[in-house]
Amino acid sequence: QVELAESGGGSVLAGGSLRLSCAASVDIFTRYCMAWFRQAPGKERERVAYITKNGLTTYEDSVKGRFAISKDNANATLYLQIHTLTPEDTAMYYCAADRSCYMFYTRYEYQGQGTQVTVSS
């Protein structure tokens, strides 16, 4: 069983930056696709970025240029660097892992409990 634990969320002012982390209890990063999702109040959970087991990254159009996903295989930690935060980025952010890079979080084998990001103007 793999456990994923997100951290790094918080309350920030618009224009600020945050780095979210996702620690895995087992070293799966060289075998699994790792993704970040977010869910804003009243909205569906959406994928924002993912990184393949080989290190290739992909971003949704809404976050390109502001979000950067990375991973540290040795420490089994996934990161999401977020720049120029806006109130529209306010959401619970989740990491997820699966052997495939699915679009929908329900397809992922493992998911974390989330970390809250709140951006005020």
Side-chain angles (χ1 to χ4, degrees):
Q1 182 68 17
V2 178
E3 294 183 357
L4 302 176
E6 301 93 336
S7 62
S11 297
V12 296
L13 294 176
S17 299
L18 279 175
R19 188 176 78 158
L20 308 183
S21 300
C22 169
S25 61
V26 176
D27 178 12
I28 58 172
F29 286 18
T30 56
R31 295 177 286 122
Y32 278 66
C33 174
M34 302 298 299
W36 283 100
F37 288 80
R38 68 181 179 184
Q39 186 167 17
K43 294 189 176 181
E44 296 291 319
R45 192 173 303 189
E46 64 172 350
R47 190 182 65 186
V48 295
Y50 67 85
I51 185 166
T52 69
K53 61 182 181 181
N54 296 318
L56 298 177
T57 60
T58 300
Y59 302 91
E60 301 309 314
D61 288 344
S62 59
V63 304
K64 279 182 181 176
R66 295 194 303 118
F67 286 30
I69 188 171
S70 62
K71 61 178 180 172
D72 181 344
N73 290 342
N75 291 306
T77 303
L78 178 73
Y79 300 101
L80 185 68
Q81 180 72 51
I82 310 175
H83 296 291
T84 320
L85 281 154
T86 73
E88 288 69 37
D89 294 318
T90 295
M92 186 73 82
Y93 285 72
Y94 302 87
C95 62
D98 198 274
R99 293 188 184 273
S100 297
C101 299
Y102 295 111
M103 173 69 78
F104 299 105
Y105 76 96
T106 53
R107 302 290 301 274
Y108 281 74
E109 185 173 359
Y110 303 109
Q111 301 181 45
Q113 295 300 306
T115 185
Q116 177 68 38
V117 173
T118 303
V119 185
S120 57
S121 57

